[in-house]
Amino acid sequence: MGNYVLALDQGTTSSRAILFDREQNIVGMAQKEFTQFYPKEGWVEHDPMEIYSSQYAVMMEVIAQSGVDVREISAIGITNQRETTILWDKSTGRPVYNAIVWQCRRTADIIDDLGARGLSGYIREATGLVPDAYFSGTKIKWILDHVEGARERAERGEILFGTVDSWLIWKLTGGAVHVTDYTNASRTMIYNIRTLDWDRKLLDALDIPRAMLPEVRGCSEIYGYAAVQGVRIPIAGIAGDQQAALFGQCCFAPGEAKNTYGTGCFLLMNTGGTPCVSENGLLTTIAIGLNGKVQYALEGSVFVGGAVIQWIRDEMRFINESRDAEYYARKVPDTGGVYLVPAFTGLGAPHWDMYARGCIVGITRGTRREHIIRAAQESIAYQSYDLVKAMERDTGIALAELNVDGGASRDRFLMQFQADILGKRVCRPMIRETTALGAAYLAGLATGVWKDLDELKKLWSCDIRFDPDMEEPTRQRLLSGWRKAVGRSLDWAEH
Ligand SMILES: Nc1ncnc2c1ncn2[C@@H]1O[C@H](COP(=O)(O)OP(=O)(O)O)[C@@H](O)[C@H]1O
Ligand SMILES: O=P(O)(O)OC[C@H](O)CO
């Protein structure tokens, strides 16, 4: 058995590969951004071939760069942007359409139609999800409806569906394996999280043939082998990226939670072996499936988190690099009363408004670029605040502190503001790449690199703590402004 585990982390904006050793040290890391397509207002697509080629390139790069002999790599773990939907031709391995990305709003009317047919309650009950264009189900239907002959071919099993994990495994195994795991299946809106099977009623409602669906497996087992430099490496772990981060933060027990600041923000709490139903706009989802048993989680999903910094950088051109946001935010003592609500693709939890759109309010003659940059950063923390409060109301558990990770968690201004606005300590772990670490854990557990969860927990440690330092009246005043600003963005787009 080798001494290394390779994690492939296929995110919304980039593909990453990270090589870990047994002591959980990062031995090598490679990352590649890939193209985002916005063919129409509110639509978001990726090229599945570019997803695969960028992921394959970083995998090879990290191996070459680390100098590790491939025979020393025990296993590959896969983690991925969730819900993003890919359909491909089984015989050629070619996608039949671009990947429809989780953020894409094009299927909002299909959701409205399901609601009109009285299925909203059933969707919540069976899948744990709030009916929304976010999830894969309506995206599959859209492709089947719009690509000529696709439904008939899917019925014959000639066209396959997969989330990004399935797609990567299919490609890496040379078309031999068509699987997904419980966590990714739980994000499709066609998977029943209680019976642990694809849901017949929802498949019928969306006219999705069962023959095109992958087999759903546990998160830590050998699914197949990838041939790398002539060596067969087992692919032995799969989890959607948010669940992988929860696992990578060692939130193995009920009540343990983390918040990830990536493209979006995702707060997940492990709720144990029975699904916990939210009354505050959170999702019930599968946290992990190990040894034939699943654990559930409550999740708050915010669509635009770190992505608002990219928008400030790429569309507004206020900054050159994401890390400059912190510098400019600190140049002003506050936002001067400005709020930015980044409802660019609607609002997720706790509002679930597909027709909300972004707004900047409170602008005066004195508003400067710095104020807007700071308002953008603060919006990430306010949205996360709303998630924490919803979760505390649902579970009756007051979080003692917030465990954080993800690309935007390196922004110290943001982390301090998060602690201030929450009135809670924020704790950032030594390894911020917890998503990849979670995938590595799953693959390493399946192949004997690590013995059990206790061994993993022993090696985990918090690196930096941010303690709250804001007067209560200020906190309340800022939060009340945020609530007013959110009100302005709701139900904006025509429908
Ligand atoms: N120094 C920084 N300050 C603020 N935001 C950042 C910084 N670095 C990265 N980000 C944001 O973090 C996000 C990328 O985080 P990452 O965890 O890599 O996301 P994903 O897995 O969604 O691709 C981007 O949206 C980016 O704007
Ligand atoms: O790519 P990320 O890290 O923003 O994660 C995307 C989520 O999985 C979407 O649900």
Side-chain angles (χ1 to χ4, degrees):
M1 192 212 332
N3 285 315
Y4 301 92
V5 180
L6 180 59
L8 305 184
D9 176 5
Q10 206 303 302
T12 312
T13 51
S14 71
S15 297
R16 271 192 293 263
I18 302 187
L19 194 60
F20 292 94
D21 68 15
R22 277 170 180 279
E23 286 70 46
Q24 307 185 9
N25 298 307
I26 293 180
V27 180
M29 162 150 46
Q31 177 165 3
K32 197 168 161 50
E33 288 207 7
F34 57 87
T35 323
Q36 309 285 319
F37 298 97
Y38 307 108
K40 285 189 190 175
E41 213 177 290
W43 290 30
V44 190
E45 294 180 1
H46 294 156
D47 174 356
M49 294 311 270
E50 196 184 357
I51 287 182
Y52 176 63
S53 63
S54 59
Q55 192 61 69
Y56 189 81
V58 290
M59 173 172 89
M60 298 315 284
E61 187 183 333
V62 83
I63 293 171
Q65 166 219 93
S66 66
V68 164
D69 184 332
V70 280
R71 285 168 300 195
E72 278 286 297
I73 300 174
S74 286
I76 295 174
I78 293 193
T79 180
N80 55 290
Q81 54 166 323
R82 307 164 305 165
E83 300 97 13
T84 297
T85 297
I86 304 175
L87 268 61
W88 68 92
D89 185 310
K90 187 178 178 179
S91 56
T92 63
R94 290 199 174 283
V96 303
Y97 194 82
N98 264 350
I100 302 187
V101 177
W102 57 278
Q103 295 162 316
C104 187
R105 305 278 86 197
R106 82 182 62 185
T107 55
D109 59 334
I110 305 181
I111 292 292
D112 291 341
D113 180 56
L114 290 172
R117 288 155 66 191
L119 281 162
S120 300
Y122 182 78
I123 291 173
R124 283 171 204 260
E125 173 65 19
T127 68
L129 306 173
V130 172
D132 194 273
Y134 173 22
F135 307 106
S136 319
T138 57
K139 299 181 197 290
I140 306 173
K141 175 176 168 54
W142 192 95
I143 299 178
L144 292 175
D145 287 346
H146 288 81
V147 174
E148 213 186 315
R151 185 166 279 107
E152 295 68 37
R153 298 195 57 216
E155 265 156 19
R156 295 197 295 270
E158 293 168 17
I159 287 180
L160 303 178
F161 152 73
T163 38
V164 171
D165 54 313
S166 306
W167 168 243
L168 291 178
I169 293 176
W170 175 267
K171 296 301 275 180
L172 287 169
T173 60
V177 178
H178 186 214
V179 295
T180 188
D181 78 300
Y182 290 119
T183 65
N184 275 292
S186 75
R187 314 298 298 181
T188 57
M189 219 184 76
I190 50 173
Y191 188 71
N192 191 312
I193 60 165
R194 295 166 190 277
T195 62
L196 300 181
D197 195 5
W198 299 110
D199 190 275
R200 170 53 52 209
K201 188 164 168 174
L202 292 173
L203 292 179
D204 288 347
L206 290 164
D207 208 359
I208 297 175
R210 202 182 168 111
M212 71 188 303
L213 305 177
E215 182 192 350
V216 183
R217 304 268 292 265
C219 298
S220 179
E221 54 188 82
I222 296 177
Y223 315 96
Y225 294 82
V228 182
Q229 295 173 353
V231 177
R232 276 161 43 92
I233 308 179
I235 302 173
I238 317 178
D241 57 8
Q242 302 311 321
Q243 285 90 338
L246 187 70
F247 201 71
Q249 288 260 22
C250 292
C251 297
F252 303 142
E256 294 180 335
K258 66 87 208 180
N259 192 30
T260 299
Y261 300 77
T263 303
C265 288
F266 300 89
L267 175 68
L268 271 79
M269 182 189 280
N270 184 328
T271 59
T274 31
C276 170
V277 177
S278 173
E279 289 179 359
N280 294 286
L282 302 180
L283 308 173
T284 307
T285 203
I286 296 182
I288 209 76
L290 295 175
N291 308 319
K293 284 206 187 101
V294 301
Q295 283 192 311
Y296 293 90
L298 265 185
E299 170 174 327
S301 333
V302 159
F303 298 150
V304 175
V308 71
I309 305 297
Q310 278 171 310
W311 179 77
I312 285 285
R313 183 191 68 187
D314 302 340
E315 313 307 325
M316 294 298 100
R317 304 199 196 156
F318 284 171
I319 51 176
N320 290 325
E321 309 263 0
S322 300
R323 64 169 173 268
D324 298 344
E326 180 170 2
Y327 169 79
Y328 286 108
R330 287 187 196 280
K331 288 198 132 196
V332 282
D334 53 39
T335 66
V338 172
Y339 287 88
L340 189 160
V341 184
F344 304 154
T345 55
L347 283 175
H351 310 284
W352 294 106
D353 182 349
M354 295 185 287
Y355 302 103
R357 287 297 178 266
C359 69
I360 303 178
V361 291
I363 299 173
T364 63
R365 186 70 181 76
T367 299
R368 302 201 331 248
R369 178 172 72 137
E370 289 81 353
H371 292 121
I372 295 179
I373 296 172
R374 183 168 172 136
Q377 278 180 301
E378 292 188 359
S379 75
I380 304 174
Y382 285 127
Q383 293 184 98
S384 296
Y385 169 92
D386 288 342
L387 299 182
V388 170
K389 289 297 139 188
M391 195 156 284
E392 290 188 337
R393 278 196 293 273
D394 272 336
T395 59
I397 298 172
L399 287 182
E401 53 186 29
L402 186 66
N403 296 321
V404 301
D405 53 52
S409 74
R410 62 170 78 96
D411 183 333
R412 285 165 161 261
F413 166 78
L414 170 61
M415 293 299 103
Q416 183 57 51
F417 188 76
Q418 184 70 83
D420 290 346
I421 212 68
L422 272 174
K424 290 179 195 295
R425 175 180 277 182
V426 164
C427 175
R428 200 172 69 184
M430 192 72 89
I431 298 179
R432 236 177 312 121
E433 297 291 346
T434 48
T435 300
L437 184 61
Y441 280 172
L442 292 166
L445 284 170
T447 50
V449 176
W450 294 295
K451 194 166 68 230
D452 54 23
L453 303 185
D454 288 340
E455 184 182 355
L456 299 176
K457 207 150 192 168
K458 269 190 209 125
L459 289 165
W460 193 91
S461 66
C462 179
D463 180 27
I464 301 186
R465 294 182 169 82
F466 299 86
D467 287 308
D469 181 24
M470 183 182 272
E471 300 282 332
E472 189 56 19
T474 311
R475 195 169 83 88
Q476 291 306 336
R477 180 173 51 76
L478 292 176
L479 285 167
S480 127
W482 168 251
R483 281 189 279 271
K484 262 168 80 182
V486 169
R488 299 289 193 273
S489 77
L490 296 175
D491 197 27
W492 185 263
E494 294 297 330
H495 57 103

